[in-house]
Each structure stands twice: as structure tokens, then as C-alpha cells.
Amino acid sequence: MPFDFQKAPRDSVGHHPNTDPHRTAQPQHAGPEQCFPVCENTQVVKARSHSPCSLHPSPLRSKPSPSSPGSLSPHGRDISQCKRTTVSTLTAVLTMEMKQPVMMNREDEGEHEKEQESQENGRLVADSVAEKGQKSCSGPGQVSNGYPSTSPQSPRDGAGAGADKGNTPGAFKTLVVQQTSLDPPRETWSKKMDFLLSVIGYAVDLGNVWRFPYICYQNGGGAFLLPYLLMAVFGGVPLFYMELALGQFHRSGCISIWKHICPIFKGIGFAICIIALYIAFYYNTIMAWALYYLLSSFRATLPWTTCTNQWNTPNCTHYLSTDLNVSWTNNSISPAEEFYIRQVLQVHLSPGLHQLGWVSWQLALCLLFIFTIVYFSIWKGVKTSGKVVWVTATFPYLVLLILLIRGATLPGAWRGVVFYLKPDWSKLLTTTVWLDAAAQIFFSLGPGFGVLLAFASYNPFHNNCYKDALVTSSVNCLTSFLSGFVIFTVLGYMAEMRQQRVETVAKDAGPSLLFIIYAEAIANMPAATFFAIIFFLMIIMLGLDSTFAGLEGVITAMLDEFPHLLARRREWFVLGLVCVCYLGALSTLTYGGAFVVKLFEEYATGPAVITVVFLEVIAVSWFYGTTRFCNDVQLMLGFAPGLFWRVCWVAICPCFLLFIIGSFLAFPPEVKLFDYLYPFWTTVLGYCIGVSSFICVPSYMVYHLVTTKGTFKQRLLKSITPEASGSSGPQRDTIVITNAV
């Protein structure tokens, strides 16, 4: 009988008609290695890639193959508990389904014998291939990619073999030819908590400890919590949820994922990787400073408590509440400030960015040790980093709790808490408060850095990423709020000790708040050595989590984009990436390295990543389509996002990001560090560094349009049309053969 070959049509969600949607759609998203039942009417034929599959239909007298779990093969085995077959060449599996029962006339006895012989040969081939596979296939409680499923795979599940008893032999059949991939199965998290701790460790970083408390009291204290929560609900959390869902559904890094969303925006992925490198250049230097402090803490008297060291100046004033003969003046400098500026950073040896000076060998060794820890934590993938975060993500909370209890017992702690939470409602009428709230929640949750896409891509396909987004974002916001109490109880103690106002003591922001004010407060506590050790250990671990995540985003993106080149060389690629980051960070280890860190922080990453995320939201919501994206989420989770999430993705989030971008362009920040005011040429340099990453987006758009074949209209249409999720070429095409007898 003739066979009618045609490509399988897809509905709006991407399913094939007349087939179970989970058996056709899910394996494409879930992983390259797919599993098919080997049963009576299923014949396995070896076929080479890019060549037509050899078709050997079963004879008409054979029983129709079951199409749901629970049916038995002729050997008495449940076909849902079949063997997974992976052979050296592509394997085409012909699955027979009943389409329309009709009466058939039989041929003569000679033809009947040929059919029996063909049937026997088909069984032999199927059995031989089934014996080769030793991996267990998905059962009734699993989908075909091996992941657990909480719901039946299809509406027909549960019908059992009895549903097929009505299928009469000799009917029209539908043959589905699906070719498996030779790619190795995608790595997954060992436990669900590995993923949650990794995301929490990434979101909760140094900014939660030093930036949020400073921004909070600067913008009205308790009144700042209102715009902060509003920006989190309508801007930060929807973006966080969107990235987790995208990464989990498409199971790709931030580069290769765009061919499934909107191919012309693929430059966003390359821009994200460059931004991640810039962050690695300066962010790890802060951990090197903390390591220097940690090593200096292993002594009975902390070095930043005295003014008799070689780096001290005549203005050094060691002031305690018990020193009645010492007074604090405007020219006084604490020993903690001089230790930070003159011993750790050695900024006094550099006049500015135009003359950075030599590299500090102490900080170079500290940074080398930090990158060594980073390498051996991520070189094997999420299997190793997922175990490390059990320490690096939980230890900071233990330290914060200890410091909170200790700070609450200090004299004057209540003054700091009142200053932290006392609301100033008049500041809500200023634009600066809302801008700071939007920027804080955005950089705290961290969408747009490729990390959430990478982490979620290692999740099981049916993982509840919606609940994960709500839990992790809530933990992040609560940690920021808790850190405010930890910081301001100590600031109130410092104000009481110096007999000054809290706002005078809290004039420092950023790293200075930790390395000067808090370090000095710890030095004046009983058991100062113990508290110094655990405090700087906490800072290092907060930074390590974010570094693990940032580099894993780059690694996942590159390995997914160039799998044949890098998949088997992950350890070497990670080593090369870490070496590049270390060499790029050498400029931050010079005497003027603190000026470079500030330049990168203000210009190189902030505006660029906000613009990238804005384009990402536009591509997903307007080009890929909110309806299609919600259908993808429903396929994963069993329910679609509600109206609130749709409105946020389509309208509120783009406006939220445009507000931040517009405010930054309209009111560029005045960058100043210590007594050094950044000249105009440094501002131009900072913008050039920021544009160097964002330029990847328009550059790739031009490249894609030029290299695509066809007329300009055809090129443009193809550039905004997503490919089928999980398909990577002809090797994963699905062919439906209809009207086969």
C-alpha cells in the first residue's frame, strides 16, 4: 500500500494532532535522550542521520500496539516499563496507532505467509534492540524524559489496555517516526534543595548587607519599604518568575535559548556573557579584601584598633566611650579607616585613575586563593556547586543571627533601629526614592544576568518554578530587611560611643560601611577576634555564591551554544574562564584599584544589564507572545499564569525598566570615592565599557539579517519566528505517515 509522507502539523502549543501531547512535546524540551516502548507492533530500524528512515510496517494480522501505560507486550511485560535504547546510529521508532477501523479483504495464502514472516522478523529486531538498552524507561509515574510526573501523561492515561481492545485488526494506521539524538543527557540537580540554595545564594549577596540598609535610611526609613515592596511585586518578582520558567522549559543557556524564542535577539545572550565577565573582574576583588581582613583577624589584638602601626597618621584617633581624655573632632580618622585605606587598598599611593600604580602582591595572592576555591566548586557543574552552597548559602544566616543578637544587646542599639525604621513620608513625593527602590529590587533579585536561565535549565521539566520564584524572592527581600537591623544596631552603638548622631556615623556607604564602620564596631566588642572571623567569613561566602552563579551562567551558555567543541572539555573551559577573570581583575588589585572597582560598578554593568533585560521582556512578551509563553508554562506546571502575570510581562515590567533607564540617563550619578572626584573623561570611559557589551545586540541583528537567505521580508519573518523547542536540526524531525494499511 502507498504511504503518504508529510511533516507533522502542530497546533498553537506545538503538539502533534492524534498523538499524546506529552509523548511528542515533552521529550523535545526535556532532554536529548528519549525513550520509546518496544512492543509487539513497534519495529526498530537503524537509520543514518540526514537520510530517510527505512519503514517496515507490521502486518495487518498483528494486534494493534497499546498506546497507554499499563498495556502488556506479547512477552507479558508492561510496555511502560520498557528499556531505553541508545545506539551508535540514530534510531527511528515506528509507533502504530489506530486511526479509523475499516474492513479489509485478505490476500491469498502465499501473501498471508509473507505477512507472518514479516511479523516474526519485526519482533526479532524489536527484541534484540530492547535487550541492548539497560537503562530503565519512564513508567506510569514518569514522563518520557525520565523525570517524575505528578499527573497522567495524557488524557488517555488510565484507560489501560482495555481501551485498545476495541481496535480491530486491519485498520488504517498512523506511523510516527521520531529520531533520537546522540547528545548526552542534560545534567540535573541532585536534590531540589541544591537548586533552591543556589538561587538564594545568588540573590542574597553583598548588596543585601551594605546597600539595602544605606538606601533604606537615606530614602525615608520605614517609608522606603512601601515603594520597595511595590517595585518587587510589579517588577522584580515577575521578571524573576519569567526567567525561571524560560530556562526550565527550553533547557538552554542565555545564548542558545533565543533560537526558540526570537532568533534575531540572540545577541542578548552574548551581551549577558560579557557583562558577567565585567562583574567577575571587580566583584571578586571585594572578597579578596575580606580575605585580607580575615587573615589579619587571627591575632589577639586586631590591627585596626590601634594607632601605633606603620600605616597610621597623626590624625588617627582611637576613641572609645571609656577614653575620657580623648575627644573626637572633624579631622579625626579612626584606625579602622586608616587600615582600610592605607594598608589594605593603599589608595594613598595612587593619585587617580590616570595613574593606578603597582599591583599589591598581598591582594593578588588573596584573589588567587578566591579563584582557586571558585574553580574547584564549579568545574564539574551543578553536581559539585550544588553541594558547596549547602555551606556558603546557609552559613551567612547563622552569622547574621549571631550578630543580630549581639548587636541588640549593645548600648545605644535602639537609636540605630529607630533611625532605620522611622518613616519620613515626605520623601515618597521625590523621584529618587522610587528610582532607588526599583534599582535595589532589580539588582537584588538579579534577573538578566543569565544565572536564573542556567540554574532552571537543570531542573526537572515539571518542577514547580512558580513556587520557587515566590519562595526565593521572599527570602531575598526578608534577608535585606534583616540585614538592616544587623547593621543599624551596630551603628547606634557607634553613635552612642562617639556621642554623635547616627546619620553622622552612617555617612559611609558601600564597602566602606562594612570594612570601616562595622569592622571598628566589632573591634570594640568583647570577643572581638571571634566576631571578626565569622563576620568576614560571612562576607566571603556571600560573595562566593554570587560568583558561582555568575560564572555558571556563562559556562552553561557557552556549552549549550558550542556543545560539540566544549561539552567534553568543561574542566579546561572553566579553567580558561577563571584565568581570564583573574587577569581581568589585576587592574583592581593596583594601588588605585578601588577607583576601578567603583567605575565598573557604576557604569560597566548597571545601565547595560537593565537595557538587556528590557529587550528580553520585549522579545518574550511581544515577539514570542505572552499566550504562547503561558501555554508553555501550563505544559510544565499544569496551570497557566493568571491575568496579573500577563499584564506585568506585557506592560508593567517594560515600563518599570524604562523608568530606571530614563532616570539614569536624565540624572547621571556623580561618582566620588573618598576624596577623589571622577573627572569627565572617566565618565566617557565608563559609558564606553557599558556600550561594549550592549553592542552585541544590534551587531547580531545585522549579522542574522545578512546571513539569512531570501528576500528582506522573508529574512525578517524568519528572524522573529522561533524554532521548535528542543529541535536542533534534521536529526530530531518528526514525520507522520498517514493512511498506511
Side-chain angles (χ1 to χ4, degrees):
M1 297 295 293
F3 294 104
D4 180 16
F5 287 79
Q6 60 180 6
K7 286 286 183 179
R10 297 177 182 266
D11 57 16
S12 59
V13 187
H15 298 160
H16 296 280
N18 302 323
T19 58
D20 188 342
H22 289 279
R23 293 181 62 83
T24 56
Q26 288 180 11
Q28 293 181 351
H29 313 306
E33 186 176 6
Q34 303 172 13
C35 179
F36 302 93
V38 178
C39 54
E40 180 178 349
N41 254 12
T42 301
Q43 299 186 21
V44 182
V45 183
K46 293 185 179 180
R48 294 183 179 179
S49 177
H50 306 288
S51 64
C53 298
S54 303
L55 302 178
H56 300 281
S58 298
L60 299 176
R61 294 183 57 186
S62 61
K63 296 181 181 180
S65 64
S67 60
S68 62
S71 303
L72 297 177
S73 70
H75 302 284
R77 293 174 299 184
D78 188 346
I79 65 170
S80 63
Q81 305 295 333
C82 59
K83 302 293 184 179
R84 174 172 298 169
T85 60
T86 304
V87 293
S88 59
T89 58
L90 293 177
T91 304
V93 181
L94 307 182
T95 304
M96 310 289 293
E97 287 191 359
M98 184 65 63
K99 187 175 182 181
Q100 179 182 358
V102 294
M103 300 299 296
M104 301 295 296
N105 294 326
R106 300 300 180 190
E107 301 295 338
D108 54 8
E109 187 65 24
E111 184 177 356
H112 175 68
E113 294 176 356
K114 293 180 180 179
E115 291 176 355
Q116 288 182 334
E117 182 180 358
S118 174
Q119 177 185 5
E120 186 65 24
N121 292 337
R123 290 178 180 176
L124 290 175
V125 174
D127 290 342
S128 63
V129 176
E131 291 173 359
K132 287 184 179 181
Q134 297 300 326
K135 298 181 181 179
S136 61
C137 183
S138 56
Q142 291 182 322
V143 293
S144 58
N145 57 6
Y147 293 126
S149 173
T150 57
S151 59
Q153 294 187 41
S154 71
R156 294 194 295 266
D157 284 1
D164 292 321
K165 290 181 179 180
N167 297 339
T168 60
F172 283 109
K173 311 283 186 175
T174 299
L175 289 81
V176 180
V177 180
Q178 188 160 1
Q179 296 176 319
T180 61
S181 172
L182 294 178
D183 297 335
R186 190 172 185 84
E187 188 179 14
T188 56
W189 299 98
S190 300
K191 297 180 181 179
K192 175 66 175 288
M193 281 302 297
D194 293 356
F195 166 71
L196 291 178
L197 289 177
S198 296
V199 174
I200 291 174
Y202 161 67
V204 179
D205 63 350
L206 297 174
N208 294 74
V209 178
W210 79 52
R211 180 174 171 82
F212 178 82
Y214 177 80
I215 293 294
C216 186
Y217 91 79
Q218 191 181 44
N219 291 282
F224 176 75
L225 298 178
L226 177 61
Y228 179 77
L229 292 177
L230 289 177
M231 290 298 178
V233 171
F234 292 99
V237 178
L239 291 173
F240 197 85
Y241 177 27
M242 183 188 73
E243 286 214 350
L244 287 181
L246 284 174
Q248 183 171 306
F249 184 82
H250 296 288
R251 302 181 65 78
S252 300
C254 62
I255 298 178
S256 57
I257 193 174
W258 287 103
K259 66 182 178 182
H260 307 310
I261 299 175
C262 190
I264 199 172
F265 283 97
K266 191 175 181 178
I268 291 178
F270 293 103
I272 289 174
C273 292
I274 296 177
I275 293 173
L277 287 179
Y278 288 159
I279 294 175
F281 289 167
Y282 77 88
Y283 190 82
N284 297 280
T285 301
I286 300 175
M287 285 187 286
W289 300 344
L291 180 59
Y292 191 99
Y293 268 86
L294 177 64
L295 297 177
S296 302
S297 301
F298 288 94
R299 59 187 68 182
T301 302
L302 298 177
W304 57 87
T305 58
T306 62
C307 293
T308 58
N309 303 289
Q310 59 179 358
W311 58 80
N312 293 125
T313 64
N315 291 329
C316 179
T317 303
H318 184 214
Y319 180 76
L320 295 175
S321 57
T322 56
D323 296 335
L324 302 179
N325 297 327
V326 179
S327 60
W328 186 266
T329 64
N330 293 331
N331 295 327
S332 298
I333 302 177
S334 67
E337 183 176 354
E338 289 198 342
F339 178 78
Y340 176 62
I341 294 177
R342 301 178 62 86
Q343 174 64 14
V344 179
L345 303 182
Q346 303 183 56
V347 175
H348 65 289
L349 299 178
S350 172
L353 280 172
H354 61 282
Q355 188 176 345
L356 296 177
W358 296 99
V359 174
S360 172
W361 65 269
Q362 298 97 329
L363 293 180
L365 291 178
C366 290
L367 185 62
L368 180 62
F369 182 76
I370 292 294
F371 272 119
T372 302
I373 296 176
V374 170
Y375 174 73
F376 286 107
S377 298
I378 65 175
W379 69 322
K380 291 293 186 181
V382 295
K383 296 292 186 182
T384 55
S385 63
K387 298 297 180 291
V388 176
V389 294
W390 280 83
V391 177
T392 58
T394 57
F395 181 78
Y397 285 96
L398 177 62
V399 176
L400 285 175
L401 182 61
I402 295 174
L403 294 178
L404 177 61
I405 296 174
R406 183 68 186 98
T409 60
L410 294 173
W414 63 272
R415 293 177 57 186
V417 174
V418 170
F419 183 78
Y420 173 49
L421 295 179
K422 184 180 180 180
D424 185 0
W425 300 105
S426 62
K427 289 196 173 184
L428 296 182
L429 301 178
T430 62
T431 309
T432 307
V433 174
W434 296 87
L435 173 62
D436 287 343
Q440 173 61 27
I441 191 63
F442 175 82
F443 288 109
S444 180
L445 292 177
F449 292 92
V451 174
L452 301 177
L453 292 173
F455 280 172
S457 69
Y458 299 112
N459 275 335
F461 184 74
H462 290 290
N463 175 65
N464 193 342
C465 59
Y466 171 71
K467 183 174 67 175
D468 295 344
L470 295 181
V471 169
T472 52
S473 57
S474 299
V475 170
N476 175 72
C477 295
L478 291 175
T479 304
S480 299
F481 188 63
L482 174 66
S483 300
F485 288 98
V486 175
I487 296 297
F488 275 92
T489 53
V490 173
L491 291 180
Y493 164 67
M494 292 294 296
E496 182 80 11
M497 186 177 60
R498 292 183 180 179
Q499 297 181 357
Q500 293 179 324
R501 296 171 60 88
V502 178
E503 55 266 32
T504 305
V505 177
K507 63 180 180 179
D508 293 317
S512 299
L513 185 64
L514 301 180
F515 293 111
I516 297 178
I517 302 298
Y518 212 93
E520 182 179 2
I522 288 177
N524 294 320
M525 294 180 185
T529 300
F530 169 74
F531 285 107
I533 290 174
I534 64 172
F535 176 72
F536 291 113
L537 265 179
M538 179 192 72
I539 294 179
I540 293 173
M541 291 189 179
L542 285 173
L544 283 176
D545 289 333
S546 299
T547 299
F548 295 161
L551 294 183
E552 186 61 49
V554 177
I555 295 167
T556 300
M558 299 303 292
L559 264 62
D560 288 346
E561 181 65 15
F562 308 103
H564 302 294
L565 180 63
L566 301 176
R568 299 181 181 273
R569 303 176 179 89
R570 177 188 170 98
E571 293 84 355
W572 290 104
F573 174 72
V574 174
L575 178 62
L577 178 64
V578 169
C579 291
V580 169
C581 293
Y582 182 79
L583 294 176
L586 289 179
S587 62
T588 64
L589 304 177
T590 58
Y591 299 147
F595 302 136
V596 181
V597 171
K598 187 71 173 178
L599 182 70
F600 271 106
E601 184 181 4
E602 293 291 339
Y603 294 106
T605 58
V609 75
I610 295 175
T611 307
V612 164
V613 176
F614 172 74
L615 293 179
E616 178 182 326
V617 174
I618 294 299
V620 173
S621 301
W622 295 4
F623 286 86
Y624 186 70
T626 307
T627 301
R628 181 185 297 175
F629 176 59
C630 291
N631 289 337
D632 295 343
V633 175
Q634 185 174 16
L635 183 63
M636 286 192 303
L637 308 183
F639 59 90
L643 180 62
F644 167 77
W645 301 104
R646 295 170 183 255
V647 173
C648 286
W649 291 326
V650 171
I652 298 180
C653 287
C655 295
F656 165 79
L657 295 169
L658 271 181
F659 172 67
I660 303 177
I661 297 172
S663 300
F664 183 86
L665 295 177
F667 309 103
E670 183 183 48
V671 184
K672 182 181 179 180
L673 182 64
F674 307 125
D675 295 329
Y676 178 70
L677 182 63
Y678 283 63
F680 176 76
W681 69 268
T682 61
T683 303
V684 177
L685 176 62
Y687 278 116
C688 290
I689 297 175
V691 171
S692 66
S693 59
F694 177 74
I695 198 66
C696 295
V697 180
S699 299
Y700 186 83
M701 288 181 176
V702 174
Y703 167 78
H704 193 274
L705 289 175
V706 170
T707 56
T708 304
K709 298 180 180 180
T711 64
F712 180 76
K713 183 178 180 180
Q714 292 172 339
R715 296 178 181 183
L716 190 60
L717 183 62
K718 188 175 181 180
S719 298
I720 62 176
T721 303
E723 299 179 9
S725 296
S727 65
S728 62
Q731 294 185 2
R732 295 188 187 178
D733 285 341
T734 298
I735 305 173
V736 173
I737 310 166
T738 60
N739 300 333
V741 178

